[in-house]
Amino acid sequence: MAHTNQQSMRRVLRREIAGTIGLLADEHDFTAMRRYRSFAFDDHTTYLRQVEALLRTLSAQGNHTTVALFDPEEYAEFCADTGLEPDTPSSRTRFTAELAATGAAVPYEGQPLAELVPDLIDEAVRLATWEYATTRLAQIGDCASCGEDIGRAAFSRAMHLLKRILDSAGPGERHLVCSVSAEPQALASVLHADQDTEGATRLDESEALEFATVLALGMATRSPGGLVMRTTAPDRTERVYGWRLRGDDLEPLTAGEVFDAYCTDMESGDLVSPESGVDYCAPPDLGGDLGKESPATHGHTH
């Protein structure tokens, strides 16, 4: 009886354990792992099918599982840095545990891999964008004339502008996209937020920090770019409006400019039909010093 009770307790404890599976999402990465003898799979399709079956089994047992993107190059670097033998399952397990804390990962909630993999790749791109933008901001350095940290001042300015944009949007769901044509690569960030009828804004703080970091990089480097907002609320027309980056500030787009951006085919230049029930309009007035150089970044030379 005591042995049975111990087994039951272990089953209960097993349900309390959160696990992570490292996924080789594309065939190129899968092929790279086949150089290790201890890697048992030789067909990517079969591998994905087995991973999905395992996820379903773990979910049925009440286990919470996170799926992380497994990168063979990062794995090889991890093993070299830590002195681990790469051709062992235990080393792959160690690396996967590291991914759970620092890498791109999404929770498994019963969705098929065909839906999970694009979300996982999007998460990897989002994480890489944030890391790149953060590094670039830190590398800009201090203003030659006033000694202020340019990246830090730009981030503070970006957070200030983001708050004013969200506060001006009114009740409902907001979808913001910030794009920056920074060199050597263009960056984009997305932020989802909503405001209840009492005026409280709900958003993911990590998303907001990432969004502000990309916006800050555009301002600090004075790169071309823009910010577009789409607002949705019950019994109200969807509204789309935006701003272009102008130095370290935002310049409102006219209703015509927003319409042209959304209703013109980027490749052919031909007009396309506007979305039904959408109002392409000028943004609300943000008030304050919008359109003027902020004291935080005025006169910076870099």
Side-chain angles (χ1 to χ4, degrees), residues 233-260:
D235 303 320
R236 293 179 61 182
T237 302
E238 276 194 37
R239 303 177 72 225
V240 177
Y241 51 84
W243 299 261
R244 67 169 56 86
L245 273 176
R246 188 68 79 191
D248 66 349
D249 226 323
L250 298 175
E251 178 181 279
L253 296 172
T254 66
E257 288 173 325
V258 177
F259 181 88
D260 289 344

mmCIF file of all heavy atoms in Angstrom, residues 233-260:
data_model
loop_
_atom_site.group_PDB
_atom_site.id
_atom_site.type_symbol
_atom_site.label_atom_id
_atom_site.label_comp_id
_atom_site.label_asym_id
_atom_site.label_seq_id
_atom_site.Cartn_x
_atom_site.Cartn_y
_atom_site.Cartn_z
ATOM 1 N N ALA A 233 -13.231 48.948 -31.702
ATOM 2 C CA ALA A 233 -14.111 48.981 -30.535
ATOM 3 C C ALA A 233 -15.511 48.596 -30.977
ATOM 4 O O ALA A 233 -15.905 48.848 -32.125
ATOM 5 C CB ALA A 233 -14.125 50.367 -29.897
ATOM 6 N N PRO A 234 -16.290 47.957 -30.092
ATOM 7 C CA PRO A 234 -17.661 47.561 -30.435
ATOM 8 C C PRO A 234 -18.498 48.764 -30.857
ATOM 9 O O PRO A 234 -18.411 49.845 -30.262
ATOM 10 C CB PRO A 234 -18.186 46.951 -29.123
ATOM 11 C CG PRO A 234 -16.974 46.561 -28.360
ATOM 12 C CD PRO A 234 -15.920 47.552 -28.723
ATOM 13 N N ASP A 235 -19.279 48.551 -31.917
ATOM 14 C CA ASP A 235 -20.209 49.583 -32.404
ATOM 15 C C ASP A 235 -19.502 50.857 -32.857
ATOM 16 O O ASP A 235 -20.102 51.935 -32.899
ATOM 17 C CB ASP A 235 -21.244 49.946 -31.319
ATOM 18 C CG ASP A 235 -22.027 48.725 -30.844
ATOM 19 O OD1 ASP A 235 -22.377 47.892 -31.702
ATOM 20 O OD2 ASP A 235 -22.256 48.605 -29.633
ATOM 21 N N ARG A 236 -18.216 50.734 -33.208
ATOM 22 C CA ARG A 236 -17.490 51.896 -33.720
ATOM 23 C C ARG A 236 -16.710 51.492 -34.963
ATOM 24 O O ARG A 236 -16.263 50.357 -35.102
ATOM 25 C CB ARG A 236 -16.517 52.447 -32.670
ATOM 26 C CG ARG A 236 -17.200 53.063 -31.455
ATOM 27 C CD ARG A 236 -16.182 53.567 -30.450
ATOM 28 N NE ARG A 236 -15.324 54.608 -31.028
ATOM 29 C CZ ARG A 236 -14.326 55.176 -30.365
ATOM 30 N NH1 ARG A 236 -14.038 54.791 -29.131
ATOM 31 N NH2 ARG A 236 -13.600 56.114 -30.927
ATOM 32 N N THR A 237 -16.569 52.428 -35.882
ATOM 33 C CA THR A 237 -15.798 52.165 -37.096
ATOM 34 C C THR A 237 -14.324 51.969 -36.745
ATOM 35 O O THR A 237 -13.774 52.708 -35.927
ATOM 36 C CB THR A 237 -15.935 53.354 -38.079
ATOM 37 O OG1 THR A 237 -17.314 53.553 -38.378
ATOM 38 C CG2 THR A 237 -15.170 53.086 -39.368
ATOM 39 N N GLU A 238 -13.708 50.953 -37.371
ATOM 40 C CA GLU A 238 -12.259 50.791 -37.186
ATOM 41 C C GLU A 238 -11.548 52.018 -37.725
ATOM 42 O O GLU A 238 -11.916 52.550 -38.770
ATOM 43 C CB GLU A 238 -11.759 49.546 -37.929
ATOM 44 C CG GLU A 238 -11.913 48.265 -37.153
ATOM 45 C CD GLU A 238 -11.110 47.134 -37.769
ATOM 46 O OE1 GLU A 238 -9.994 47.405 -38.273
ATOM 47 O OE2 GLU A 238 -11.592 45.999 -37.740
ATOM 48 N N ARG A 239 -10.519 52.439 -37.011
ATOM 49 C CA ARG A 239 -9.763 53.612 -37.435
ATOM 50 C C ARG A 239 -8.298 53.222 -37.638
ATOM 51 O O ARG A 239 -7.730 52.458 -36.857
ATOM 52 C CB ARG A 239 -9.878 54.738 -36.404
ATOM 53 C CG ARG A 239 -11.301 55.149 -36.117
ATOM 54 C CD ARG A 239 -11.366 56.219 -35.038
ATOM 55 N NE ARG A 239 -10.890 57.493 -35.539
ATOM 56 C CZ ARG A 239 -10.052 58.305 -34.889
ATOM 57 N NH1 ARG A 239 -9.566 57.950 -33.706
ATOM 58 N NH2 ARG A 239 -9.682 59.466 -35.411
ATOM 59 N N VAL A 240 -7.715 53.759 -38.712
ATOM 60 C CA VAL A 240 -6.298 53.545 -38.995
ATOM 61 C C VAL A 240 -5.653 54.911 -39.206
ATOM 62 O O VAL A 240 -6.136 55.725 -39.999
ATOM 63 C CB VAL A 240 -6.090 52.669 -40.243
ATOM 64 C CG1 VAL A 240 -4.602 52.541 -40.553
ATOM 65 C CG2 VAL A 240 -6.704 51.287 -40.044
ATOM 66 N N TYR A 241 -4.577 55.166 -38.477
ATOM 67 C CA TYR A 241 -3.867 56.435 -38.620
ATOM 68 C C TYR A 241 -2.417 56.231 -38.216
ATOM 69 O O TYR A 241 -2.038 55.166 -37.704
ATOM 70 C CB TYR A 241 -4.523 57.541 -37.788
ATOM 71 C CG TYR A 241 -4.767 57.206 -36.333
ATOM 72 C CD1 TYR A 241 -3.760 57.350 -35.375
ATOM 73 C CD2 TYR A 241 -6.011 56.755 -35.914
ATOM 74 C CE1 TYR A 241 -3.989 57.067 -34.035
ATOM 75 C CE2 TYR A 241 -6.253 56.463 -34.576
ATOM 76 C CZ TYR A 241 -5.242 56.624 -33.642
ATOM 77 O OH TYR A 241 -5.473 56.334 -32.321
ATOM 78 N N GLY A 242 -1.610 57.256 -38.442
ATOM 79 C CA GLY A 242 -0.194 57.046 -38.128
ATOM 80 C C GLY A 242 0.641 58.309 -38.180
ATOM 81 O O GLY A 242 0.150 59.420 -38.399
ATOM 82 N N TRP A 243 1.940 58.084 -37.969
ATOM 83 C CA TRP A 243 2.932 59.148 -37.946
ATOM 84 C C TRP A 243 4.171 58.676 -38.690
ATOM 85 O O TRP A 243 4.462 57.474 -38.741
ATOM 86 C CB TRP A 243 3.350 59.490 -36.514
ATOM 87 C CG TRP A 243 2.272 59.982 -35.610
ATOM 88 C CD1 TRP A 243 1.986 61.274 -35.284
ATOM 89 C CD2 TRP A 243 1.334 59.178 -34.863
ATOM 90 N NE1 TRP A 243 0.934 61.343 -34.401
ATOM 91 C CE2 TRP A 243 0.512 60.070 -34.130
ATOM 92 C CE3 TRP A 243 1.086 57.811 -34.769
ATOM 93 C CZ2 TRP A 243 -0.516 59.632 -33.295
ATOM 94 C CZ3 TRP A 243 0.056 57.362 -33.946
ATOM 95 C CH2 TRP A 243 -0.731 58.277 -33.215
ATOM 96 N N ARG A 244 4.926 59.605 -39.229
ATOM 97 C CA ARG A 244 6.243 59.272 -39.758
ATOM 98 C C ARG A 244 7.296 59.773 -38.774
ATOM 99 O O ARG A 244 7.073 60.748 -38.050
ATOM 100 C CB ARG A 244 6.465 59.896 -41.138
ATOM 101 C CG ARG A 244 6.539 61.397 -41.155
ATOM 102 C CD ARG A 244 7.037 61.919 -42.508
ATOM 103 N NE ARG A 244 6.220 61.449 -43.608
ATOM 104 C CZ ARG A 244 5.092 62.037 -44.036
ATOM 105 N NH1 ARG A 244 4.644 63.145 -43.427
ATOM 106 N NH2 ARG A 244 4.405 61.560 -45.043
ATOM 107 N N LEU A 245 8.409 59.046 -38.738
ATOM 108 C CA LEU A 245 9.530 59.490 -37.909
ATOM 109 C C LEU A 245 10.174 60.699 -38.564
ATOM 110 O O LEU A 245 10.489 60.677 -39.759
ATOM 111 C CB LEU A 245 10.565 58.367 -37.770
ATOM 112 C CG LEU A 245 10.357 57.350 -36.648
ATOM 113 C CD1 LEU A 245 11.415 56.278 -36.723
ATOM 114 C CD2 LEU A 245 10.375 58.020 -35.299
ATOM 115 N N ARG A 246 10.360 61.737 -37.778
ATOM 116 C CA ARG A 246 10.995 62.947 -38.285
ATOM 117 C C ARG A 246 12.024 63.382 -37.254
ATOM 118 O O ARG A 246 11.703 63.990 -36.239
ATOM 119 C CB ARG A 246 9.952 64.041 -38.502
ATOM 120 C CG ARG A 246 10.495 65.268 -39.199
ATOM 121 C CD ARG A 246 10.862 64.992 -40.650
ATOM 122 N NE ARG A 246 9.695 64.987 -41.524
ATOM 123 C CZ ARG A 246 9.712 64.563 -42.783
ATOM 124 N NH1 ARG A 246 10.831 64.065 -43.287
ATOM 125 N NH2 ARG A 246 8.630 64.612 -43.519
ATOM 126 N N GLY A 247 13.287 62.973 -37.485
ATOM 127 C CA GLY A 247 14.317 63.238 -36.487
ATOM 128 C C GLY A 247 14.019 62.462 -35.224
ATOM 129 O O GLY A 247 13.872 61.236 -35.242
ATOM 130 N N ASP A 248 13.905 63.169 -34.100
ATOM 131 C CA ASP A 248 13.611 62.482 -32.847
ATOM 132 C C ASP A 248 12.152 62.695 -32.453
ATOM 133 O O ASP A 248 11.803 62.661 -31.279
ATOM 134 C CB ASP A 248 14.548 62.964 -31.731
ATOM 135 C CG ASP A 248 14.328 64.426 -31.364
ATOM 136 O OD1 ASP A 248 13.608 65.120 -32.115
ATOM 137 O OD2 ASP A 248 14.864 64.881 -30.346
ATOM 138 N N ASP A 249 11.285 62.911 -33.450
ATOM 139 C CA ASP A 249 9.892 63.185 -33.153
ATOM 140 C C ASP A 249 8.991 62.468 -34.149
ATOM 141 O O ASP A 249 9.459 61.786 -35.063
ATOM 142 C CB ASP A 249 9.621 64.693 -33.200
ATOM 143 C CG ASP A 249 8.811 65.155 -31.999
ATOM 144 O OD1 ASP A 249 7.916 64.395 -31.577
ATOM 145 O OD2 ASP A 249 9.088 66.243 -31.482
ATOM 146 N N LEU A 250 7.687 62.615 -33.965
ATOM 147 C CA LEU A 250 6.685 62.019 -34.840
ATOM 148 C C LEU A 250 5.907 63.116 -35.546
ATOM 149 O O LEU A 250 5.462 64.072 -34.917
ATOM 150 C CB LEU A 250 5.718 61.144 -34.032
ATOM 151 C CG LEU A 250 6.314 59.946 -33.306
ATOM 152 C CD1 LEU A 250 5.241 59.257 -32.464
ATOM 153 C CD2 LEU A 250 6.921 58.963 -34.302
ATOM 154 N N GLU A 251 5.726 62.955 -36.841
ATOM 155 C CA GLU A 251 4.956 63.914 -37.636
ATOM 156 C C GLU A 251 3.680 63.225 -38.108
ATOM 157 O O GLU A 251 3.740 62.175 -38.745
ATOM 158 C CB GLU A 251 5.783 64.366 -38.845
ATOM 159 C CG GLU A 251 5.067 65.325 -39.771
ATOM 160 C CD GLU A 251 5.943 65.691 -40.951
ATOM 161 O OE1 GLU A 251 6.810 66.564 -40.787
ATOM 162 O OE2 GLU A 251 5.769 65.088 -42.030
ATOM 163 N N PRO A 252 2.501 63.776 -37.802
ATOM 164 C CA PRO A 252 1.243 63.117 -38.169
ATOM 165 C C PRO A 252 1.108 62.939 -39.678
ATOM 166 O O PRO A 252 1.456 63.830 -40.458
ATOM 167 C CB PRO A 252 0.171 64.090 -37.644
ATOM 168 C CG PRO A 252 0.860 64.918 -36.618
ATOM 169 C CD PRO A 252 2.276 65.041 -37.063
ATOM 170 N N LEU A 253 0.621 61.767 -40.094
ATOM 171 C CA LEU A 253 0.282 61.521 -41.492
ATOM 172 C C LEU A 253 -1.121 62.063 -41.750
ATOM 173 O O LEU A 253 -2.000 61.991 -40.894
ATOM 174 C CB LEU A 253 0.313 60.026 -41.799
ATOM 175 C CG LEU A 253 1.656 59.312 -41.669
ATOM 176 C CD1 LEU A 253 1.466 57.811 -41.827
ATOM 177 C CD2 LEU A 253 2.651 59.832 -42.703
ATOM 178 N N THR A 254 -1.329 62.594 -42.945
ATOM 179 C CA THR A 254 -2.673 63.041 -43.298
ATOM 180 C C THR A 254 -3.535 61.826 -43.605
ATOM 181 O O THR A 254 -3.027 60.713 -43.840
ATOM 182 C CB THR A 254 -2.643 63.951 -44.533
ATOM 183 O OG1 THR A 254 -2.213 63.180 -45.667
ATOM 184 C CG2 THR A 254 -1.697 65.132 -44.319
ATOM 185 N N ALA A 255 -4.859 62.034 -43.617
ATOM 186 C CA ALA A 255 -5.773 60.940 -43.962
ATOM 187 C C ALA A 255 -5.462 60.392 -45.349
ATOM 188 O O ALA A 255 -5.500 59.178 -45.581
ATOM 189 C CB ALA A 255 -7.219 61.437 -43.887
ATOM 190 N N GLY A 256 -5.120 61.278 -46.289
ATOM 191 C CA GLY A 256 -4.788 60.841 -47.645
ATOM 192 C C GLY A 256 -3.541 59.986 -47.684
ATOM 193 O O GLY A 256 -3.471 58.998 -48.427
ATOM 194 N N GLU A 257 -2.536 60.342 -46.883
ATOM 195 C CA GLU A 257 -1.298 59.559 -46.856
ATOM 196 C C GLU A 257 -1.535 58.178 -46.274
ATOM 197 O O GLU A 257 -0.973 57.178 -46.755
ATOM 198 C CB GLU A 257 -0.238 60.307 -46.038
ATOM 199 C CG GLU A 257 0.318 61.532 -46.740
ATOM 200 C CD GLU A 257 1.232 62.354 -45.849
ATOM 201 O OE1 GLU A 257 0.967 62.429 -44.621
ATOM 202 O OE2 GLU A 257 2.212 62.920 -46.364
ATOM 203 N N VAL A 258 -2.376 58.088 -45.246
ATOM 204 C CA VAL A 258 -2.694 56.784 -44.659
ATOM 205 C C VAL A 258 -3.461 55.936 -45.666
ATOM 206 O O VAL A 258 -3.175 54.745 -45.851
ATOM 207 C CB VAL A 258 -3.516 56.958 -43.365
ATOM 208 C CG1 VAL A 258 -3.916 55.597 -42.804
ATOM 209 C CG2 VAL A 258 -2.718 57.738 -42.327
ATOM 210 N N PHE A 259 -4.424 56.555 -46.346
ATOM 211 C CA PHE A 259 -5.208 55.839 -47.356
ATOM 212 C C PHE A 259 -4.295 55.310 -48.460
ATOM 213 O O PHE A 259 -4.390 54.146 -48.869
ATOM 214 C CB PHE A 259 -6.270 56.766 -47.952
ATOM 215 C CG PHE A 259 -7.150 56.106 -48.982
ATOM 216 C CD1 PHE A 259 -8.304 55.434 -48.598
ATOM 217 C CD2 PHE A 259 -6.813 56.136 -50.328
ATOM 218 C CE1 PHE A 259 -9.110 54.810 -49.545
ATOM 219 C CE2 PHE A 259 -7.603 55.512 -51.280
ATOM 220 C CZ PHE A 259 -8.764 54.858 -50.887
ATOM 221 N N ASP A 260 -3.394 56.173 -48.959
ATOM 222 C CA ASP A 260 -2.480 55.753 -50.026
ATOM 223 C C ASP A 260 -1.595 54.598 -49.578
ATOM 224 O O ASP A 260 -1.327 53.667 -50.350
ATOM 225 C CB ASP A 260 -1.592 56.931 -50.455
ATOM 226 C CG ASP A 260 -2.373 57.994 -51.229
ATOM 227 O OD1 ASP A 260 -3.488 57.686 -51.680
ATOM 228 O OD2 ASP A 260 -1.864 59.119 -51.347
#
